[in-house]
Each structure stands twice: as C-alpha cells, then as structure tokens.
C-alpha cells in the first residue's frame, strides 16, 4: 500500500490518532512494536493558527516514528489551510484531515464529524488543503452523520476527486459515537467501487490479530487502523504483525516486557510534561491495559495505581503488582 510515494508494504497496520493518547512517546513505542504508520493527536487548526503552545507542541515528531502523519481539524477553509501550512513546516510525511471525531465539543461546532452535515464545506476544505501543501493529504471520516445519512460511498469518490492520497473510514456514524459494532460492509463497498483508486484503510473494533486478518481477507481493505485496542497495550502491533506474517499467534510476550513498556511510558510522560500531569496523562493507559485484567482481588490495588499522584507512589504500587500478582 502506498500513500503518495510512501510505501507501507503489504497489509499495513496503522496507529489511529487519539487525543490524549498518541503523544510522541506512545507513537514511538507503537512504531517499535510494529505499527507501520503513526498519527499525532488531533491538532486544532484554530489553536495552531493562534500559536497556542500546547497545540504547537503536538507538531513535534521523532525521526524514528516515520512515517508519521499530523492530523488537523477545523471548521473553515482559511484556518485549515493555514494550519496545514504550519503543520507542513514540522516536516511530517502526511497531513491528515479529521472529519471523523464524534465528541460533542468538536462535532457540535461543525468540525470533525460535524463536517458530515456540511459536505460542500468539507469538500472545499479538502480541496484547499490539498492545493496548499506539497505533502500527501489524507482524510479520516465516518460512514455519515447518522443511520439515515450513511453517505460514505458517494463521499469517498468526491474526496478522491479533491486529490487526497488515502481515505480512512471508521465503520460507525457520528451519532453512534463508539457504541454498537463497527459496520465494515460499507467500508468494503467503498473499496469495491471501481472508481476508487486510492488506498482505503478500515477502522473500528479491530482488537485481536484474528480480527485484523479477517478485515483484510473479508473486506479487501488496503490497510487497517487500530485505535482503542492499543491503549495500555502497544505490544498489540507486535502480535498483529506476527499473525499477519505467519497465521499463528505469537508466543506469549512476557509480562516483564509488557510492564517495561508501561514503565517506559510513565517515565517518558513525566519527562515530557511534569510529574503530576505526566502521571495523570498515563492513567488512561494503565486503566485500559489488559496486563492487569483478570487479576483476582485486584480492586484495591487498581484504585491505588490509578490515584497515585507522585512517581514514588505509583512505582511502589507497580512493584507490589510485580511481586504479588505478576510474579516478575
């Protein structure tokens, strides 16, 4: 699969852009574990144009992450064009446009998936961004605004005509948010459309290596994007790539390796921000990690892990988990 001149190989697995998740440390770890391409957190066009420090910092990438995409979102042509030009100066490999974020604070203002209610503006923004930068431009979106307006088959053609180099489709409408099951049948219909020539990347509910292989085999997509299943489990890319290559599950990755990756995220999060906010940031990964799921009588220890406010507090809890539960 190629995005412009960027060759991602056969059946690539991509790390989805996720706010407060896909920071530079997490992206690099996922890349090392086998992700073929990674995406930044969502970058607000308005905030980027206003030079808001917290937003500008999201543009920082590590050469070891490559290929990496910076994803921008906004609701008007001028700010999106300017944001794309600023993002291009950070030298990513791809500029990705977010027309899929369903959260209220984004969609209700007409950005993200809110653009699915204003297709003419969505297309105008896409054309303008493509014309403004020299990098490949891609789009991530959903099936439509709601179940009565699943417009993706027609929209995909129109986006391709705007000049984008790949399209990622999350198999839900905006109204579904993340509830119910992702519908890959319409993703497959887009891919099967003889008019489509750009790569089609599927996204939604890919949580196991077996499901990953099924999505390639059954729906014919060029690539698969993995999001929530990677939170607290960056090693999932290693498991998935092994399964794609061999058709077999990888031998169990030792708990010591998994814990080491989580510990690395903790220290790098603290180094990137500060101790208190770095620990707050990493809690989402710890809360979601399958490493701790199914441990009997774990409730009190889990609460202690997720309420620790200093590195020493958190480290003491993790050491207790290693000694008492994981026998590391």
């Amino acid at each position: 699969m190629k995005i412009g001149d960027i060759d991602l190989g056969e059946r690539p697995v991509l790390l989805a852009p996720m706010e407060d998740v896909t920071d530079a440390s997490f992206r690099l770890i996922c890349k090392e574990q086998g992700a073929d391409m990674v995406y930044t957190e969502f970058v607000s066009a308005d905030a980027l144009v206003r030079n808001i420090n917290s937003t500008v910092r999201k543009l920082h990438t590590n050469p070891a992450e490559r290929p990496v995409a910076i994803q921008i979102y906004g609701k008007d042509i001028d700010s999106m064009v300017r944001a794309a030009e600023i993002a291009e100066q950070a030298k990513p490999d791809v500029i990705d446009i977010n027309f899929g974020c369903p959260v209220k604070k984004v969609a209700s203002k007409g950005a993200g998936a809110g653009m699915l209610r204003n297709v003419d503006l969505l297309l105008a923004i896409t054309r303008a961004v493509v014309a403004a930068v020299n990098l490949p431009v891609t789009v991530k979106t959903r099936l439509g605004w709601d179940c009565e307006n699943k417009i993706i088959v027609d929209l995909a053609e129109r986006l391709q005509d705007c000049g984008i180099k790949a399209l990622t489709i999350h198999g839900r409408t905006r109204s579904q948010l993340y509830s119910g099951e992702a519908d890959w049948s319409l993703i497959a219909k887009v891919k099967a459309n003889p008019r489509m020539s750009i790569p089609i990347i599927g996204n939604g509910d890919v949580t196991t290596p077996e499901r990953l292989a099924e999505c390639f085999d059954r729906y014919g997509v060029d690539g698969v994007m993995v999001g929530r299943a990677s939170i607290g489990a960056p090693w999932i890319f290693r498991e998935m790539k092994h399964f794609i290559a061999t058709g077999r599950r990888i031998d169990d990755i030792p708990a010591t390796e998994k814990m080491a990756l989580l510990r690395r995220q903790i220290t790098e999060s603290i180094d990137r921000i500060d101790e208190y906010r770095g620990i707050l940031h990493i809690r989402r990964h710890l809360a979601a990690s399958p490493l701790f799921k199914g441990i009997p009588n774990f409730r009190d220890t889990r609460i202690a892990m997720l309420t620790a406010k200093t590195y020493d507090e958190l480290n003491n809890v993790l050491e207790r988990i290693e000694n008492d539960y994981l026998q590391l």
Side-chain angles (χ1 to χ4, degrees):
M1 180 185 113
K2 284 189 174 183
I3 298 178
D5 294 330
I6 303 165
D7 191 347
L8 299 178
E10 294 295 320
R11 296 192 165 194
V13 187
L14 296 75
L15 171 65
M18 293 176 282
E19 185 64 9
D20 295 325
V21 174
T22 53
D23 57 76
S25 170
F26 186 64
R27 295 194 306 267
L28 181 56
I29 291 172
C30 289
K31 178 69 176 178
E32 292 170 355
Q33 291 294 306
D36 293 292
M37 185 169 175
V38 298
Y39 290 66
T40 65
E41 301 171 78
F42 314 153
V43 175
S44 164
D46 289 340
L48 192 56
V49 170
R50 298 200 315 270
N51 200 35
I52 303 300
N53 285 337
S54 59
T55 299
V56 173
R57 283 197 296 269
K58 292 181 179 180
L59 301 183
H60 174 73
T61 61
N62 185 319
E65 297 175 44
R66 295 188 182 279
V68 59
I70 291 176
Q71 189 188 73
I72 60 174
Y73 73 91
K75 61 183 185 299
D76 65 79
I77 295 173
D78 290 344
S79 66
M80 285 291 281
V81 165
R82 182 62 186 134
E85 292 171 340
I86 295 170
E88 184 177 35
Q89 294 172 14
K91 302 187 183 304
D93 299 284
V94 170
I95 301 292
D96 188 68
I97 304 176
N98 179 332
F99 292 140
C101 179
V103 300
K104 185 176 181 179
K105 69 178 182 179
V106 173
S108 65
K109 295 178 181 178
M115 276 290 166
L116 292 167
R117 303 179 82 177
N118 191 346
V119 172
D120 288 343
L121 180 57
L122 180 156
L123 295 171
I125 287 173
T126 306
R127 283 192 294 268
V129 169
V130 168
V133 299
N134 294 315
L135 294 172
V137 174
T138 60
V139 164
K140 186 173 189 287
T141 190
R142 290 187 167 228
L143 303 179
W145 177 258
D146 55 30
C147 290
E148 286 70 47
N149 294 280
K150 293 182 178 180
I151 62 172
I152 190 59
V153 175
D154 174 69
L155 180 61
E157 287 193 21
R158 299 175 74 181
L159 283 167
Q160 178 176 261
D161 291 343
C162 291
I164 66 170
K165 300 302 183 184
L167 175 63
T168 301
I169 305 169
H170 182 100
R172 290 182 174 88
T173 63
R174 186 273 163 182
S175 63
Q176 287 180 276
L177 298 177
Y178 295 100
S179 65
E181 292 184 4
D183 177 6
W184 280 67
S185 64
L186 282 178
I187 301 175
K189 190 171 181 179
V190 172
K191 177 57 189 173
N193 182 351
R195 271 215 69 222
M196 298 301 298
S197 59
I198 60 173
I200 302 300
I201 302 160
N203 175 228
D205 296 346
V206 180
T207 60
T208 67
E210 291 83 0
R211 176 59 176 164
L212 174 78
E214 180 186 16
C215 288
F216 279 118
D217 294 340
R218 183 175 179 182
Y219 302 107
V221 291
D222 299 287
V224 171
M225 185 173 281
V226 176
R228 288 175 292 167
S230 69
I231 303 175
W235 53 83
I236 196 171
F237 291 101
R238 181 174 164 189
E239 295 172 341
M240 288 179 165
K241 294 295 289 187
H242 180 87
F243 191 86
I244 286 293
T246 67
R248 299 187 305 274
R249 275 265 187 176
I250 196 170
D251 293 337
D252 286 343
I253 300 172
T256 50
E257 290 188 33
K258 295 178 179 179
M259 181 62 87
L261 290 175
L262 295 180
R263 282 185 170 279
R264 175 179 164 190
Q265 283 186 253
I266 293 167
T267 57
E268 291 182 356
S269 180
I270 290 171
D271 290 344
R272 182 174 61 90
I273 314 173
D274 58 47
E275 183 177 41
Y276 179 69
R277 290 183 299 159
I279 289 172
L280 287 179
H281 171 76
I282 209 65
R283 282 179 183 173
R284 183 172 182 181
H285 294 266
L286 297 176
S289 182
L291 182 60
F292 308 120
K293 294 189 184 303
I295 297 177
N297 305 314
F298 190 66
R299 181 177 181 275
D300 290 344
T301 304
R302 176 183 173 84
I303 291 172
M305 178 176 69
L306 299 179
T307 55
K309 294 180 174 61
T310 68
Y311 175 77
D312 286 342
E313 288 179 21
L314 181 54
N315 185 58
N316 287 339
V317 177
L318 294 179
E319 287 183 347
R320 191 159 70 246
I321 292 171
E322 291 169 341
N323 294 329
D324 296 348
Y325 295 105
L326 300 180
Q327 287 83 48
L328 299 187

